[in-house]
Amino acid sequence: MAQSVGIKDVARVAGVSVGTVSNVINRPDSVGPDTRARVLSVIDRLGYVRSESARQLRAGRSRIMGLLVLDMGNPFFVDVARGAERAAREAGLGVMVCNSAQSPGEEAEYLSLFAEQRVRGVLLTPADATGRNIGAFRRHGIPFVLVDRVAEGTTECSVSVDDVAGGALAAQHLIDAGHRSIAYVSGPPGFNQVRDRRTGALTALAEAGLGPDALRELPTERLDVAAGRDAGARLLGLSRRPTAVFCANDLLALGVLQSLFAAGVAVPDDLALVGYDDIEFAAAAAVPLTSVRQPAATMGALAAGLLLEETGAGGDPAAHEHRRVVLQPELVVRRSSLSAR
């Protein structure tokens, strides 16, 4: 295995001191042009790359922001990451993106990694419903902002969408289309987003004079396509099948759609279907999917902006005030829910 080239190697080959090499890298105007050219030539020939992490540790200021999301296989979080990366880059920072895979254990490991790397701050969509991972991470004194989650019971910043309103939008749309029995493919019950979207749907049903039994919940262990296919199979096995399905995210909805299609159940004529997030694949599905849109890239950018402000990269940290930003969702209607009843 090739050994890495250090600053001492550059100094030895160039015939100068380590301090001179450091000046060429960090304060080039302080070095004469001939010496500077000789050192740069050696740097290029040896392939020397300075240790940015070591420099940052000496300065006590990392140029890396951590981003830990539930599932990088979900295009929603890809868009969150894109918005955060754009805001960070404009401030001269990079983003280390990690995927907890909806696992509290993996989340804890990545938060420990962020602490070890002394990142400037962290954007976090929690996988641990108990809050223990956040509590442990808080002891390191590294600022963090919650994304797609309201900072309940904490003083930290958060950027989220009003999921109660989003659930109500989905259910009201189905009620207006004449549906009186709706299945809710929900996902893990420990996630606040799942509970809030259910609360919104129940609120819309109650306002329409329908009881909670009008919403048949089908929980899943994960929020992905495979879990949606499993939920679709269970839905097809119900003795009294609802006429519409509301899914806690679009990946679940796409999985349900696959199960229904394989069983010869027509969407929307036999079953109407609504998802949540409005990922790019929603409009491109075999039956274009009605979905509740979340402004994912905007969420990422706003969360990164709050973190940059708190850490001094985007303003005066002394003037920073923790705040909760709650954005509004939007219903995007497509063919999957447009059956005539």
Side-chain angles (χ1 to χ4, degrees):
M1 180 181 295
Q3 293 183 342
S4 61
V5 176
I7 192 171
K8 291 181 180 179
D9 298 309
V10 174
R12 176 176 52 80
V13 174
V16 298
S17 69
V18 170
T20 298
V21 177
S22 178
N23 285 336
V24 169
I25 296 170
N26 298 299
R27 295 178 296 277
D29 292 341
S30 67
V31 182
D34 292 341
T35 301
R36 184 168 67 243
R38 185 168 75 255
V39 171
L40 289 173
S41 175
V42 171
I43 286 174
D44 182 63
R45 177 154 49 92
L46 296 182
Y48 167 74
V49 178
R50 69 176 177 178
S51 175
E52 181 66 12
S53 60
R55 187 189 70 81
Q56 291 171 8
L57 285 174
R58 287 193 298 271
R61 239 18 196 173
S62 172
R63 292 180 56 247
I64 298 297
M65 176 189 300
L67 171 63
L68 181 55
V69 299
L70 291 176
D71 181 10
M72 280 306 293
N74 186 339
F76 167 76
F77 288 112
V78 175
D79 287 341
V80 169
R82 185 178 295 118
E85 191 273 337
R86 185 180 304 118
R89 188 175 65 245
E90 290 175 354
L93 272 66
V95 178
M96 179 192 299
V97 181
C98 297
N99 175 28
S100 72
Q102 305 176 40
S103 165
E106 293 192 34
E107 175 182 84
E109 291 176 4
Y110 277 122
L111 289 175
S112 294
L113 175 64
F114 288 153
E116 291 171 4
Q117 295 297 316
R118 305 292 197 276
V119 297
R120 194 181 194 96
V122 173
L123 305 179
L124 171 64
T125 303
D128 177 24
T130 69
R132 284 192 292 265
N133 286 343
I134 289 178
F137 183 71
R138 189 181 283 114
R139 295 197 298 267
H140 297 290
I142 298 174
F144 64 90
V145 175
L146 299 183
V147 185
D148 194 31
R149 179 72 58 86
V150 176
E152 297 175 349
T154 73
T155 59
E156 283 79 21
C157 291
S158 65
V159 179
S160 61
V161 166
D162 188 341
D163 284 316
V164 174
L169 282 174
Q172 188 61 56
H173 170 66
L174 293 171
I175 293 167
D176 291 343
H179 298 281
R180 296 296 180 266
S181 178
I182 301 170
Y184 177 46
V185 178
S186 58
F191 288 169
N192 290 2
Q193 301 95 318
V194 167
R195 294 198 302 269
D196 287 349
R197 292 164 196 178
R198 178 179 182 273
T199 297
L202 288 172
T203 299
L205 288 168
E207 290 177 352
L210 300 170
D213 57 344
L215 190 71
R216 178 74 177 270
E217 185 168 1
L218 297 173
T220 64
E221 293 184 357
R222 298 180 62 80
L223 291 162
D224 55 24
V225 173
R229 284 196 297 266
D230 174 72
R234 284 183 282 146
L235 175 68
L236 292 169
L238 295 177
S239 57
R240 297 180 59 188
R241 187 185 300 168
T243 61
V245 186
F246 167 41
C247 296
N249 76 1
D250 286 341
L251 295 183
L252 289 172
L254 292 172
V256 169
L257 181 62
Q258 289 178 6
S259 287
L260 298 179
F261 182 80
V265 176
V267 175
D269 295 332
D270 296 329
L271 268 173
L273 182 61
V274 176
Y276 205 104
D277 288 340
D278 195 35
I279 62 175
E280 183 178 357
F281 298 143
V287 179
L289 182 64
T290 294
S291 185
V292 178
R293 175 179 294 166
Q294 297 197 87
T298 299
M299 291 172 66
L302 288 174
L306 290 172
L307 191 59
L308 291 168
E309 179 184 291
E310 183 175 357
T311 60
D316 179 9
H320 173 78
E321 294 182 0
H322 290 311
R323 53 193 183 274
R324 300 176 181 176
V325 178
V326 181
L327 305 175
Q328 292 303 307
E330 174 189 358
L331 182 70
V332 180
V333 179
R334 299 188 181 95
R335 189 157 63 89
S336 72
S337 63
L338 292 179
S339 59
R341 302 196 68 80

